[in-house]
Amino acid sequence: MKAITIKEFGGPEVMTYGDRDQPTPGATEALVKIEAAGINYIDTYQRTGLYPIPLPATLGLEGAGVVEAIGKDVTMFAVGDRVAYTSALGAYADYAAVDQSKLVAIPEGVSTQQAAASMLQGCTAHYLSHSTYKLAKGETCVIHAGAGGVGLLLTQIAKNIGAHVITTVSTEAKAELSRGAGADEVILYTEQDFEAEVKRLTDGAGVHVVYDSVGLSTFEKSLNCLRRFGMMVLYGNASGPVTQFNPATLGPRGSLFLTRPTLFDYTAARADLEWRAGDFMSWVRDGKVKLRMEHNYPLAEAQEAHRALEGRKTTGKVLLIP
Ligand code: NDP
């Protein structure tokens, strides 16, 4: 089968397209014929070694397709089932062997590509808004990178809850998309001081929660956007990781809360995975959340796809199609 493999950490050029042995499913695994693999920012962290993985490796933490074979102890799925998954490495390939505990059934009315686009960013937007900081109607949040994969989904979910949403984006074209997703206010953080803008927009009060996936370049100012007892949710490092921080500074800023959550923990229990994926895919099916999927690349062009994502050229979901 064809797959994208890395043998060393580095830039997009370390990803090579070529033949690799088709995996054989273990006792509790299903062999999934991948019809669409999701590209996510975390793939770039694994590629560069920021988040180290054993090498050689096939990248890709999200996929959807059809079960082609099952191991002897698989009870939850059968050959022919349409399934999607996240949090198992190896989706940039024609086939992946995935433990049944990570698979979810794709509901009627949701396409395989939509399912691939739902699992990682959709479940992330779900846990951020429903668990890490449970947004309530009338509360105000800041969502950084509002036109990105997670950003567009989180904005729609926050608006469906009835929250007031302030987003940040780098270009006017992205601002349009963010407004289209429902953002009440959009700040061009490449041109404006977003901290000053958030204070102005909230009459100095600050917001209940900041969802910050940008990291290094936004972290300190994001803390200053929060109201008393506000929560800083640092969930990514698109501009680089935050490595220096003094927790004592949370006190004078208003007894703030700081958390660094991961999707892995919020979907570790099977019930949580089913809840989040089930909710999210039903919203997609019912049109309550719209997926933006205008960046599909052939599997062989994974390098170009990574360059576009890291170059801030993409909006919404990026998919690889084997
Ligand atoms: P995005 O589509 O959001 O792409 C990243 C965006 O970050 C860019 O489009 C860009 O938007 C913005 N950005 C700001 N500064 C930079 C920079 N210096 N270089 C590149 N991009 C920059 O990606 P995803 O939706 O896949 O992921 C978003 C973030 O969420 C990532 O940091 C990812 O790691 C994190 N994440 C965390 C999870 C968790 O459980 N902790 C799970 C899923 C995602 P703009 O041009 O508007 O600034």
Side-chain angles (χ1 to χ4, degrees):
M1 68 166 190
K2 297 293 186 194
I4 298 288
T5 306
I6 63 166
K7 297 196 173 92
E8 58 182 331
F9 298 121
E13 68 282 355
V14 300
M15 295 189 290
T16 55
Y17 174 73
D19 291 311
R20 201 166 176 181
D21 289 344
Q22 188 172 307
T24 310
T28 59
E29 289 178 339
L31 181 69
V32 181
K33 183 171 187 340
I34 305 282
E35 292 181 4
I39 290 193
N40 294 282
Y41 222 89
I42 189 173
D43 304 350
T44 70
Y45 308 146
Q46 293 186 325
R47 193 202 70 222
T48 60
L50 178 67
Y51 296 176
I53 50 172
L55 298 180
T58 297
L59 293 178
L61 286 168
E62 179 180 48
V66 177
V67 173
E68 235 181 60
I70 52 172
K72 67 177 177 48
D73 296 333
V74 170
T75 53
M76 295 157 68
F77 297 94
V79 170
D81 284 353
R82 288 196 318 134
V83 292
Y85 69 93
T86 183
S87 302
L89 201 59
Y92 291 9
D94 288 334
Y95 290 90
V98 184
D99 197 87
Q100 62 175 345
S101 63
K102 299 209 180 289
L103 296 173
V104 296
I106 302 175
E108 287 270 317
V110 175
S111 73
T112 311
Q113 289 196 8
Q114 286 177 319
S118 295
M119 292 304 293
L120 199 150
Q121 292 165 343
C123 289
T124 297
H126 187 285
Y127 86 71
L128 292 172
S129 55
H130 283 62
S131 300
T132 307
Y133 183 92
K134 196 169 162 30
L135 262 180
K137 190 174 175 183
E139 289 185 338
T140 304
C141 63
V142 166
I143 299 172
H144 286 304
V150 177
L152 284 174
L153 305 180
L154 185 53
T155 300
Q156 294 176 73
I157 295 171
K159 286 312 298 174
N160 290 346
I161 290 169
H164 189 78
V165 178
I166 303 172
T167 63
T168 63
V169 298
S170 64
T171 66
E172 189 48 53
K174 289 187 177 185
E176 271 304 299
L177 285 178
S178 182
R179 281 187 207 104
D184 297 286
E185 313 280 355
V186 183
I187 302 170
L188 284 174
Y189 57 179
T190 39
E191 294 173 15
Q192 293 168 289
D193 178 344
F194 77 82
E195 177 189 336
E197 274 301 290
V198 169
K199 284 187 178 143
R200 186 182 68 77
L201 292 167
T202 58
D203 294 326
V207 301
H208 295 81
V209 55
V210 176
Y211 296 109
D212 188 347
S213 63
V214 173
L216 187 60
S217 66
T218 46
F219 178 74
E220 282 290 337
K221 287 191 171 202
S222 294
L223 289 169
N224 296 334
C225 292
L226 289 163
R227 60 198 278 152
R228 183 172 288 154
F229 307 128
M231 184 179 285
M232 172 69 183
V233 182
L234 175 66
Y235 72 99
N237 342 275
S239 69
V242 176
T243 53
Q244 304 292 322
F245 176 66
N246 176 2
T249 62
L250 295 171
R253 281 165 152 144
S255 303
L256 302 180
F257 294 84
L258 166 64
T259 182
R260 182 44 174 102
T262 69
L263 174 66
F264 181 80
D265 286 314
Y266 282 93
T267 50
R270 178 78 197 169
D272 284 343
L273 174 65
E274 287 182 358
W275 170 39
R276 301 189 197 290
D279 270 7
F280 190 82
M281 285 202 268
S282 74
W283 296 335
V284 169
R285 184 196 57 210
D286 299 343
K288 291 181 181 153
V289 171
K290 295 210 164 39
L291 294 164
R292 184 176 166 79
M293 302 194 299
E294 295 191 355
H295 297 278
N296 285 10
Y297 290 81
L299 179 61
E301 292 175 19
Q303 290 192 5
E304 286 76 6
H306 272 220
R307 285 194 187 98
L309 181 63
E310 289 173 292
R312 303 165 85 159
K313 301 276 193 303
T314 66
T315 51
K317 189 66 202 172
V318 186
L319 289 177
L320 278 182
I321 311 298

